[in-house]
Amino acid sequence: MMVSSKRKNRLLMIGASLFLGLLFFLAIPSKKSNVPLILDNGSDYLEDESSKYKEGGTLSQNSDATLKDADSGIAEIGNTVTQSELAVEEENKAPYPLEDKKQTESQGIVPSKAADVGEAKKTDAPSSGCSSKDKKYIVMIDAGSTGSRVHVYTFDTCVSPPKLLDEQFKMLNPGLSSFDTDTLGAAKSLDPLLEVALNTIPTDKQGCSPVAVKATAGLRLLGEKKASAILKEVRKYLETKYPFPVVSGDGISIMDGSDEGVYAWITANFLLGNIGGKERTPTAAVFDLGGGSTQIVFEPEDGEEMIDGEHKYEIDFGGRHFILYQYSHLGYGLMEGRKRINSLVLELLLQKHGSISGLVPLTELEAKNPKGLKAEVTLKNPCVPPGVAANNIPVKLEDGTTYLVNFVSPAKDESDTLAATASTQCRFLAETILNKDAKCKSKSCSFNGIYQPSLRHHFPKSSDMFVFSYFYDRLQPIGIPQSFTLQEVMDITQLVCSGSSLWNEFFLQKSSIEELENEPLWCMDLSFMTALLHTGYDIRLNRELRTAKTIAGNELGWCLGASLPLLDQGSGWTCKVDKQY
């Protein structure tokens, strides 16, 4: 069947505008913490199961690190993202990080002549003439909910402040939390990541190169007893098998959500040259979307007037004092958002029908490991576009029962009027799980009744808002440029949610179509992200946002911010006595 002429013209205009925007873009060449070191700038159900899909899509076609959908139970080790040293031409040389703001002109996400925002490049600062003995190495492992990642940083410490010379990065699936009670298996899963550190750091430097493992939402959700057992085994394994000194105390730990967000804020603003400089430069707000949680951190204009509470985070960095608003919303990462939306869909269908033929709860053992099981019931879900199906999806309800179902679109095909409203219906479900109507005990709240100073009134309109992690992984593959508005995301979401046959007509890049075909819940992800940013955080639809995977070849996220204090040997580690490993 053919799509109506009016609707087709509407979608064609959206697609054309997005393409022109892409062409234009391509044409453009305590909570009080003191960071030591630091830095002078320094819906009915169906019985028909004929629609199938290929499970487990990649997060980004340009990322060497492949992250599969954790809910599909597919685990695959990604490729190493290596970054070879690059010579820097004399006219482009500038200290990195930026030591003198006069030498650069900070233009949003691209520090002029000092760093380019890119997706997978290597950072190599200009040589300072120091010998190799002045280099220090930090090994930071991010144990996330959907996978573990290693960052091996190389710093030049003979200059003040230290310069970040290089970052080696690799990620693998699954995350530590997937090992449940297999603590040794969890520890051994980090071996491929530690190999990167062994291959990067000279042998004579390894005994004085600290390693830390910071777990995030995945282990938090696993429960304290199981999480503690895994972390204890990880510490023992690293201390006995590897030459790197393991940071004491919280060096192997579940990171507090507030620290996770603040370290991500430090990373972004440090790489942008906004902090650590002699001038008081406006800072960027950061929004980090992980698998299990999401973080927001920004510097309100009137921070001293902020209501006291766990959201208020004061930090001294580079001779400046910052009062930040931060909050980590546990259970509202992308994968947890999916689970909440799917659960809501099933709850609504059960309320509507009372019961669904063939729908049988999984046993406790099956619910823990649903791999290999096949769903017998297919349900309608407006977050699944016409022409694709999301098969064998575990759905856990509030009462603790888990079901395995297939999801398809309520629309018969792209010409069905239901297809035209799919993105609106899906966004309604996403907004519902945010509990925006929860009682707010202060003047301003985000969602779930959580206090947050208004971004519209307490954050400068001219300052950057930076979204990364899963935000980037979902937006970049479908042609969203590094600078965009939420309205543009809503427009492309309508295309994605309208149906698979339209993708070939409107998406010019073959890789974009392949991404969408491999991940049938992309419509749901975009709808959740839009609801989170617009309805949850109250960001205007016409507000410019920025995204990137890296700045100057260094990945965004909390890892660099958490690694900087470890350059000080008094930060919980001492050099390890030489030993054969």
Side-chain angles (χ1 to χ4, degrees):
M1 297 180 67
M2 299 297 292
V3 182
S4 65
S5 175
K6 182 177 180 180
R7 182 161 170 262
K8 186 173 182 179
N9 288 339
R10 159 69 174 161
L11 295 175
L12 182 59
M13 291 176 65
I14 294 173
S17 65
L18 289 168
F19 177 61
L20 290 174
L22 179 61
L23 290 178
F24 176 75
F25 169 75
L26 293 174
I28 301 174
S30 189
K31 292 290 183 183
K32 184 165 184 177
S33 171
N34 293 302
V35 178
L37 156 53
I38 239 157
L39 291 175
D40 295 335
N41 37 307
S43 303
D44 296 320
Y45 62 93
L46 303 177
E47 300 298 336
D48 181 15
E49 300 180 46
S50 58
S51 297
K52 304 294 180 183
Y53 83 104
K54 181 180 177 182
E55 294 185 42
T58 57
L59 288 178
S60 168
Q61 81 245 26
N62 293 323
S63 173
D64 292 325
T66 300
L67 187 58
K68 300 289 186 180
D69 178 8
D71 293 332
S72 69
I74 297 177
E76 179 176 341
I77 295 179
N79 295 327
T80 304
V81 180
T82 58
Q83 307 170 335
S84 59
E85 296 185 355
L86 301 175
V88 181
E89 295 183 5
E90 186 66 30
E91 64 269 24
N92 286 334
K93 287 185 177 180
Y96 181 77
L98 307 182
E99 294 186 48
D100 187 345
K101 294 299 289 184
K102 294 181 180 179
Q103 297 177 5
T104 64
E105 296 177 3
S106 178
Q107 300 179 1
I109 61 175
V110 184
S112 176
K113 293 187 179 181
D116 291 326
V117 174
E119 195 209 354
K121 294 195 301 181
K122 168 125 174 160
T123 295
D124 189 11
S127 173
S128 61
C130 293
S131 64
S132 60
K133 69 178 181 179
D134 297 298
K135 291 183 179 180
K136 284 190 176 181
Y137 303 85
I138 306 293
V139 182
M140 181 63 66
I141 295 179
D142 170 6
S145 59
T146 55
S148 297
R149 308 152 186 85
V150 69
H151 301 257
V152 184
Y153 298 107
T154 304
F155 293 92
D156 182 350
T157 58
C158 78
V159 294
S160 181
K163 294 178 183 177
L164 177 60
L165 299 178
D166 177 67
E167 176 188 8
Q168 296 293 325
F169 169 79
K170 181 176 181 175
M171 66 182 295
L172 56 79
N173 295 344
L176 294 182
S177 59
S178 67
F179 290 88
D180 199 46
T181 58
D182 181 11
T183 58
L184 184 58
K188 287 184 175 181
S189 74
L190 302 179
D191 282 338
L193 303 183
L194 274 301
E195 283 296 320
V196 176
L198 290 173
N199 293 333
T200 301
I201 304 173
T203 303
D204 62 345
K205 290 280 190 176
Q206 292 175 359
C208 285
S209 299
V211 59
V213 178
K214 300 286 190 179
T216 54
L219 278 187
R220 291 188 207 124
L221 294 170
L222 188 60
E224 182 179 355
K225 183 177 180 180
K226 292 180 179 179
S228 297
I230 287 177
L231 293 176
K232 183 178 180 180
E233 186 66 39
V234 167
R235 176 177 289 278
K236 176 182 176 182
Y237 190 73
L238 296 186
E239 288 178 341
T240 56
K241 185 172 181 180
Y242 289 96
F244 313 111
V246 180
V247 179
S248 62
D250 64 355
I252 309 291
S253 65
I254 298 177
M255 185 165 53
D256 187 271
S258 61
D259 293 333
E260 184 176 351
V262 170
Y263 284 139
W265 181 89
I266 292 174
T267 296
N269 284 284
F270 177 79
L271 293 175
L272 291 168
N274 293 336
I275 61 176
K278 296 178 181 179
E279 297 181 9
R280 187 171 183 83
T281 307
T283 58
V286 300
F287 304 82
D288 189 359
L289 182 62
S293 63
T294 184
Q295 288 78 36
I296 173 176
V297 187
F298 67 97
E299 183 184 13
E301 290 183 303
D302 50 356
E304 293 183 357
E305 299 178 10
M306 196 180 349
I307 298 174
D308 288 332
E310 63 177 349
H311 53 268
K312 191 173 184 179
Y313 202 115
E314 299 186 45
I315 185 170
D316 294 311
F317 191 99
R320 289 173 60 185
H321 183 68
F322 299 93
I323 302 177
L324 306 176
Y325 171 84
Q326 68 75 32
Y327 200 86
S328 178
H329 295 271
L330 183 62
Y332 284 92
L334 189 68
M335 297 305 164
E336 291 299 311
R338 282 185 181 184
K339 293 176 183 178
R340 289 176 181 266
I341 293 173
N342 288 333
S343 177
L344 176 60
V345 169
L346 182 53
E347 293 273 14
L348 292 173
L349 288 175
L350 287 171
Q351 291 176 16
K352 179 179 179 180
H353 298 287
S355 64
I356 297 176
S357 177
L359 187 66
V360 179
L362 298 179
T363 66
E364 184 177 350
L365 184 60
E366 289 174 333
K368 286 184 177 180
N369 186 17
K371 294 179 182 180
L373 299 179
K374 183 177 180 181
E376 301 294 334
V377 174
T378 298
L379 307 175
K380 292 182 178 180
N381 187 332
C383 294
V384 177
V388 299
N391 292 329
N392 305 318
I393 305 297
V395 181
K396 186 176 182 179
L397 303 184
E398 287 188 1
D399 63 8
T401 56
T402 301
Y403 299 88
L404 196 68
V405 302
N406 301 321
F407 285 124
V408 296
S409 173
K412 296 178 181 179
D413 53 42
E414 289 82 353
S415 65
D416 193 323
T417 55
L418 291 175
T421 61
S423 62
T424 303
Q425 296 176 57
C426 187
R427 192 168 70 253
F428 168 78
L429 294 173
E431 290 179 351
T432 301
I433 68 170
L434 294 176
N435 298 322
K436 187 70 176 179
D437 295 331
K439 185 178 180 180
C440 180
K441 297 180 180 180
S442 57
K443 293 182 180 179
S444 176
C445 285
S446 55
F447 57 96
N448 261 340
I450 302 301
Y451 166 72
Q452 176 194 301
S454 171
L455 286 165
R456 300 191 185 203
H457 304 299
H458 299 284
F459 187 71
K461 294 180 180 180
S462 59
S463 294
D464 289 329
M465 289 185 175
F466 228 93
V467 302
F468 48 89
S469 298
Y470 266 120
F471 286 120
Y472 176 88
D473 293 330
R474 282 295 178 261
L475 297 175
Q476 189 276 338
I478 57 174
I480 293 290
Q482 291 178 351
S483 177
F484 61 94
T485 66
L486 283 179
Q487 183 61 58
E488 291 171 332
V489 177
M490 290 180 68
D491 289 343
I492 204 168
T493 300
Q494 183 178 358
L495 289 174
V496 172
C497 296
S498 293
S500 58
S501 69
L502 296 174
W503 301 341
N504 284 309
E505 188 168 354
F506 293 106
F507 287 102
L508 301 180
Q509 293 177 296
K510 184 179 178 180
S511 57
S512 297
I513 299 171
E514 291 174 348
E515 293 277 2
L516 295 173
E517 290 175 342
N518 289 334
E519 181 45 82
L521 295 180
W522 212 290
C523 166
M524 180 183 293
D525 293 346
L526 293 175
S527 299
F528 172 71
M529 287 161 45
T530 305
L532 180 64
L533 294 171
H534 178 54
T535 305
Y537 293 135
D538 197 27
I539 298 175
R540 296 180 186 273
L541 291 178
N542 62 355
R543 180 64 149 90
E544 182 185 45
L545 304 178
R546 296 175 183 262
T547 191
K549 189 176 183 68
T550 64
I551 294 178
N554 299 284
E555 184 168 282
L556 288 168
W558 58 263
C559 290
L560 176 59
S563 297
L564 289 170
L566 298 183
L567 288 173
D568 179 2
Q569 196 165 331
S571 57
W573 63 272
T574 56
C575 291
K576 205 169 185 179
V577 177
D578 288 343
K579 178 182 175 181
Q580 293 298 320
Y581 289 88

